[in-house]
Amino acid sequence: MAEKKKDDLKPKDEKALKGKSKFIDTEPELEESFLGGLVFLVLDCNPPSSSDEKLFNTAANTALQKGAHLKVFLTDDMELSDDTPLTFHQNYNLAKEVFGSSLHHEPVEDFIDVLESVSSQYSSAYYVTESDYADDDKKLYRMYDKRELSLDKVEIIGVKLDDSYAHQKA
């Protein structure tokens, strides 16, 4: 076997490598955001209802208008009862049929939990909720320590559900 000469070990195109480090960058700097905007819902939908579907449709239209991604998150904070008969996994499987690939696979506590988990991936977040809850959610967000978030913009969008939706939800 032929011995390798010292010159054989040098890169062929030294000009292309000039000014570049020979080491791998293990801590690359992140560009502003990875994915742009996110429109999301946090639903208990136990089981999914027509009001959940209306919120989803509003969120889908908002995502389309803003050129953002769409995600649906489910909570798992409900006790099993006559009003909430499904476990999280049963609820998830039903919701998967309704919301498809936009459904997130793990339960969340609330919309603040979602903001914390997506903050490093998106530059903006739009939370779609029922208008009855929007004011309380805005107050909660104003009280939240936003230093933990790297989002440029957070908007809470309240959707008015007409009486037929509200009665099905209650």
Side-chain angles (χ1 to χ4, degrees):
M1 183 172 196
E3 282 187 43
K4 290 193 175 197
K5 296 179 186 174
K6 218 177 192 184
D7 289 339
D8 290 342
L9 299 176
K10 288 185 179 178
K12 301 287 184 215
D13 189 6
E14 287 187 42
K15 289 180 185 175
L17 296 175
K18 197 163 198 147
K20 302 223 185 225
S21 173
K22 64 181 179 179
F23 301 104
I24 296 172
D25 186 5
T26 58
E27 295 181 25
E29 291 183 26
L30 297 177
E31 298 298 321
E32 283 180 35
S33 67
F34 297 121
L35 302 173
L38 172 70
V39 176
F40 71 95
L41 305 159
V42 176
L43 303 172
D44 58 24
C45 63
N46 194 339
S49 67
S50 58
S51 59
D52 295 329
E53 187 177 355
K54 181 174 183 180
L55 289 170
F56 176 78
N57 290 338
T58 300
N61 287 334
T62 303
L64 190 61
Q65 290 170 357
K66 299 195 179 289
H69 290 91
L70 173 64
K71 283 255 184 230
V72 177
F73 295 86
L74 299 179
T75 61
D76 188 23
D77 60 354
M78 307 198 91
E79 297 287 324
L80 291 180
S81 68
D82 291 340
D83 294 334
T84 57
L86 305 176
T87 66
F88 175 79
H89 295 294
Q90 292 169 324
N91 190 23
Y92 175 83
N93 289 333
L94 275 176
K96 185 83 172 161
E97 292 178 26
V98 177
F99 304 118
S101 63
S102 61
L103 185 63
H104 185 70
H105 61 281
E106 293 181 20
V108 297
E109 293 280 325
D110 56 21
F111 80 98
I112 296 287
D113 189 23
V114 174
L115 291 175
E116 290 172 348
S117 70
V118 304
S119 176
S120 64
Q121 300 166 4
Y122 295 93
S123 60
S124 55
Y126 305 89
Y127 170 48
V128 177
T129 187
E130 293 181 43
S131 58
D132 293 346
Y133 304 123
D135 288 338
D136 289 338
D137 290 339
K138 288 176 184 177
K139 286 178 192 172
L140 179 62
Y141 179 69
R142 280 194 296 272
M143 294 178 351
Y144 177 73
D145 184 6
K146 296 165 198 67
R147 289 178 291 185
E148 297 179 25
L149 302 178
S150 61
L151 295 162
D152 296 333
K153 179 179 185 178
V154 173
E155 187 176 325
I156 298 172
I157 302 167
V159 177
K160 177 95 171 108
L161 299 178
D162 63 26
D163 288 340
S164 63
Y165 287 110
H167 290 308
Q168 291 176 12
K169 187 80 173 178

